[in-house]
């Protein structure tokens, strides 16, 4: 149930609407671009207009509390995913503190052992994949070395405190695909990034079986035939590498992944047809045994989904799982010639791409040469050329057009936007928070600076700092210590 719009109160209302008929509350959070880039809401023209647009605005731990008001964050029935990368350690510290505030008194919040007890009960995932941000999505804010260090700090903290129900990273191919990569490139780059995290965590002295079960993956499903076997190819390669190279346990060999239907397959022309594409992509995901699924709303080519379009998107999953007879049979495609043959061919192609990455110095070496970005851009241009030429047929867009010959773009469609009041409310709440915590914030930021300069565990100190400091305050402090992101040219 993916949502995020306006301020935390509005998104909280949408979460309750989406989950009202389900015992299990599976919440996935979209953040606005201001939050994604680690900034506070501000009157600056380049910030103010983006507050609460296409995602929720979160600047303080109090915002995070309001976002999940009415949900028991420690319940086994509640799981929260957060789509955030650059400032992920700060947002995760907000979230863990919000969960603790639901269960602990003010005095108990100062007892770290009590805090850890709460953290062990919280379930979900924070995306925090900084490698694919450089390669595809572009919300890097800290230098790559420092961003990796903070990812390692989170995982180290989770290992030492035995926090096992919350996953510290979602290794993401979805954004690689959305930027233009084909399914083979998406799979290869995503797995290669995953192995890079494994090598980095091992280099920090962590044991493979202490962190590998807490790695999760996130892929896109489009219309190409390779999407029918993407999951089984990824699982085969991951399991073999985990077993033979790293000597990992059976649980560590099991690749868990989430599927989201393809956003770039949605079109403004003949917008109602998008549900048909999404249904087919969802069926492929179920047949390939994904662990979880997110179906896009048909109007996402134009706007943030409305309640009506979200209900239709959820109905796709419900009709497939509750009504469609073949879904009663687990893995119905197993043994089919096309599935087995395509699995072998795609695995071979992914392994060949691994060789190409290795020849350029591995994932980080290839990133320095802009290899991944260049390959994604080449594949994106090819797709767009084939779409415009009609070589790739898209019904209602470049073929089978209406009688007048022009694709039908809806004349009236509800556009979901953050209101002026919501933007001003966020500014007001931020100012009130910073005023109340002014004296404590200075001390907290000084401690955070000292820990970061001493190469200590930044996330551990963030758990204290976020009680008194806003997102933007912490981000700009960490720029001074770890450096700001600059793309290699």
């Amino acid at each position: 149930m993916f949502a995020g719009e306006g301020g935390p109160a509005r998104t909280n209302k949408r979460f309750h609407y989406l989950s009202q008929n389900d015992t299990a509350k599976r919440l996935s959070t979209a953040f606005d671009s201001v939050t994604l880039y680690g900034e506070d809401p501000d009157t600056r023209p380049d910030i103010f207009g983006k507050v609460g647009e296409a995602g929720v605005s979160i600047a303080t731990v109090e915002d995070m509390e309001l976002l999940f008001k009415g949900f028991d964050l420690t319940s086994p029935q509640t799981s929260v995913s957060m789509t955030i990368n650059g400032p992920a350690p700060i947002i995760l510290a907000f979230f863990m503190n919000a969960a603790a505030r639901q269960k602990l008194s003010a005095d108990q919040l100062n007892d770290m052992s009590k805090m850890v007890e709460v953290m062990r009960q919280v379930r979900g995932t924070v995306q925090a994949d900084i490698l694919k941000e450089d390669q595809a999505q572009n919300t890097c804010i800290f230098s790559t070395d420092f961003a990796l260090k903070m990812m390692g700090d989170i995982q180290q903290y989770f290992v030492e405190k035995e926090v096992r129900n919350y996953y510290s990273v979602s290794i993401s191919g979805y954004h690689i695909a959305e930027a233009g990569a084909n399914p083979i490139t998406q799979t290869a780059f995503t797995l290669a990034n995953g192995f890079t995290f494994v090598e980095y965590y091992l280099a920090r002295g962590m044991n493979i079986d202490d962190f590998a079960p807490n790695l999760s993956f996130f892929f896109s499903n489009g219309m190409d035939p390779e999407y029918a076997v993407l999951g089984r190819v990824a699982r085969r390669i991951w399991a073999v590498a985990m077993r033979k190279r790293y000597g990992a346990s059976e649980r560590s060999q099991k690749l868990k992944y989430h599927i989201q239907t393809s956003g770039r397959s949605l079109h403004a022309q003949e917008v109602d047809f998008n549900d048909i594409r999404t249904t087919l992509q969802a069926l492929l995901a179920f047949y390939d045994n994904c662990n979880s699924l997110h179906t896009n709303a048909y109007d996402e080519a134009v706007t943030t989904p409305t309640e009506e379009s979200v209900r239709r998107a959820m109905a796709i999953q419900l009709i497939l799982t509750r009504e469609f007879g073949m879904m009663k049979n687990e893995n119905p495609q197993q043994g089919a010639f096309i599935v087995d043959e395509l699995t072998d061919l795609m695995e071979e192609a992914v392994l060949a791409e691994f060789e190409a990455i290795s020849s350029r110095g591995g994932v980080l070496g290839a990133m320095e040469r802009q290899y991944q970005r260049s390959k994604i851009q080449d594949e994106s241009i090819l797709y767009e050329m084939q779409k415009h030429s009609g070589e790739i047929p898209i019904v209602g867009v470049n073929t089978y057009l209406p009688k007048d010959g022009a694709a039908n773009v809806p004349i009236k469609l509800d556009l979901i936007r953050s209101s002026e009041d919501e933007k001003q409310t966020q500014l007001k709440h931020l100012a009130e928070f910073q005023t109340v915590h002014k004296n404590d914030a200075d001390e907290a930021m000084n401690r955070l600076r000292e820990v970061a300069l001493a190469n200590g565990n930044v996330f551990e100190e963030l758990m204290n700092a976020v009680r008194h400091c806003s997102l933007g305050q912490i981000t700009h402090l960490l720029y001074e210590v770890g450096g700001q992101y600059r793309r290699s040219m």
Side-chain angles (χ1 to χ4, degrees):
M1 299 168 184
F2 190 50
E5 54 187 307
R10 181 168 158 196
T11 300
N12 175 266
K13 183 180 177 182
R14 175 62 67 93
F15 278 147
H16 281 285
Y17 168 76
L18 291 171
S19 62
Q20 60 187 333
N21 295 319
D22 288 316
T23 305
K25 311 298 183 184
R26 308 304 188 203
L27 312 176
S28 184
T29 315
F31 297 91
D32 68 2
S33 62
V34 179
T35 307
L36 292 175
Y37 283 97
E39 297 291 340
D40 285 337
D42 198 276
T43 54
R44 272 172 42 186
D46 61 328
I47 288 180
F48 185 77
K50 299 174 184 175
V51 174
E53 299 292 357
V56 63
S57 172
I58 299 293
T60 67
V61 66
E62 292 177 358
D63 286 343
M64 190 67 80
E65 281 188 277
L66 181 54
L67 179 62
F68 296 108
K69 185 178 180 181
F71 294 101
D72 182 357
L73 296 179
T74 60
S75 167
Q77 297 293 335
T78 304
S79 172
V80 174
S81 169
M82 296 187 291
T83 304
I84 193 88
N85 293 279
I90 308 166
I91 294 294
L92 180 59
F94 281 164
F95 176 73
M96 290 299 184
N97 270 272
R101 290 183 179 202
Q102 287 186 350
K103 297 297 178 183
L104 304 178
S105 66
D107 291 337
Q108 289 175 320
L109 289 172
N110 295 317
D111 184 343
M112 189 47 67
S113 64
K114 296 283 187 187
M115 291 279 287
V116 170
E117 284 179 25
V118 173
M119 292 173 70
R120 288 172 181 162
Q121 298 173 58
V122 176
R123 287 165 169 77
T125 307
V126 62
Q127 197 162 101
D129 179 356
I130 204 63
L131 297 180
K132 70 96 172 82
E133 288 300 314
D134 178 277
Q135 297 162 16
Q137 198 179 22
N138 305 318
T139 64
C140 302
I141 59 173
F142 300 113
S143 67
T144 302
D145 287 349
F146 189 63
L148 279 171
K149 182 241 185 306
M150 288 196 289
M151 285 184 65
D153 286 349
I154 296 172
Q155 188 59 66
Q156 190 91 51
Y157 184 87
F158 280 12
V159 168
E160 291 174 358
K161 305 298 184 184
E162 298 182 343
V163 177
R164 297 197 177 101
N165 289 325
Y166 204 89
Y167 293 178
S168 70
V169 61
S170 175
I171 304 157
S172 303
Y174 186 85
H175 313 88
I176 293 171
E178 287 294 284
N182 66 41
I184 293 169
T185 299
Q186 178 196 180
T187 307
F189 284 3
T190 308
L191 290 175
N193 291 346
F195 290 127
T196 302
F197 291 132
V198 168
E199 293 285 351
Y200 176 62
Y201 293 165
L202 290 173
R204 287 188 53 145
M206 289 181 247
N207 182 281
I208 187 72
D209 291 326
D210 286 340
F211 67 81
N214 284 64
L215 300 176
S216 66
F217 289 79
F218 175 25
F219 295 106
S220 170
N221 255 19
M223 303 296 283
D224 297 307
E226 291 86 355
Y227 288 113
V229 298
L230 187 154
R232 62 191 71 205
V233 169
R235 281 177 167 149
R236 183 193 288 183
I237 292 171
W238 185 258
V240 169
M242 284 289 113
R243 182 174 66 252
K244 293 190 175 181
R245 180 173 178 82
Y246 300 110
S249 68
E250 182 179 337
R251 181 158 184 252
S252 297
Q253 295 168 31
K254 294 177 178 178
L255 183 147
K256 298 171 289 295
Y257 74 96
H258 174 81
I259 286 288
Q260 181 177 345
T261 56
S262 172
R264 71 174 179 142
S265 72
L266 305 178
H267 300 280
Q269 301 93 334
E270 300 283 9
V271 71
D272 289 332
F273 292 1
N274 289 331
D275 275 340
I276 302 168
R277 298 182 180 100
T278 295
T279 301
L280 293 170
Q281 294 160 9
L283 187 61
L284 288 180
F286 282 135
Y287 275 6
D288 209 29
N289 293 295
C290 67
N291 295 88
S292 58
L293 173 67
H294 162 194
T295 40
N296 290 330
Y298 72 90
D299 55 359
E300 287 190 50
V302 180
T303 182
T304 302
T306 63
E307 287 192 0
E308 179 267 339
S309 67
V310 164
R311 181 169 172 78
R312 280 171 59 170
M314 291 177 62
I316 291 171
Q317 295 198 42
L318 294 171
I319 291 168
L320 285 174
T321 55
R322 305 297 174 90
E323 296 184 27
F324 189 55
M326 281 295 284
M327 285 297 297
K328 311 298 182 191
N329 182 343
E330 189 170 334
N331 204 4
Q333 293 185 337
Q334 183 168 333
F337 171 80
I338 183 62
V339 170
D340 289 349
E341 183 72 6
L342 200 52
T343 300
D344 292 341
L345 290 171
M346 186 170 173
E347 180 184 24
E348 184 179 345
V350 170
L351 295 176
E353 185 56 49
F354 283 179
E355 293 291 343
I357 294 171
S358 295
S359 70
R360 291 165 172 82
V363 166
L364 296 175
M367 281 166 54
E368 289 180 3
R369 302 180 185 202
Q370 297 287 289
Y371 170 70
Q372 291 96 329
R373 289 183 67 84
S374 297
K375 187 172 177 63
I376 292 167
Q377 287 168 3
D378 286 346
E379 292 175 4
S380 177
I381 291 169
L382 176 63
Y383 169 78
E384 291 300 325
M385 288 174 61
Q386 291 176 330
K387 183 172 75 174
H388 286 285
S389 71
E391 188 175 344
I392 294 178
I394 301 175
V395 175
V397 177
N398 62 15
T399 187
Y400 291 98
L401 303 179
K403 288 181 180 179
D404 59 9
N408 177 30
V409 178
I411 297 172
K412 181 172 174 54
L413 202 63
D414 289 335
L415 299 180
I416 305 300
R417 295 290 183 265
S418 176
S419 69
E420 178 79 12
D421 286 346
E422 286 175 315
K423 297 178 195 292
Q424 293 293 351
T425 297
Q426 282 303 96
L427 289 172
K428 179 179 174 225
H429 287 170
L430 174 65
E432 290 172 349
F433 179 88
Q434 290 179 338
T435 300
V436 169
H437 293 273
K438 186 176 187 308
N439 295 330
D440 292 326
D442 292 339
E443 182 182 342
M445 291 213 289
N446 285 333
R447 283 202 311 270
L448 180 60
R449 181 185 287 107
E450 290 170 6
V451 168
L453 287 171
N455 202 33
N457 192 304
V458 173
F459 180 72
E460 186 167 10
E461 190 55 42
L462 281 173
M463 286 294 295
N464 296 314
V466 297
R467 299 179 188 181
H468 310 292
C469 306
S470 69
L471 173 63
Q473 288 175 318
I474 295 171
T475 298
H476 285 271
L477 170 71
L478 293 178
Y479 284 158
E480 298 173 18
V481 178
Q484 200 164 355
Y485 177 79
R486 291 288 184 272
R487 184 170 301 289
S488 171
M489 300 304 289

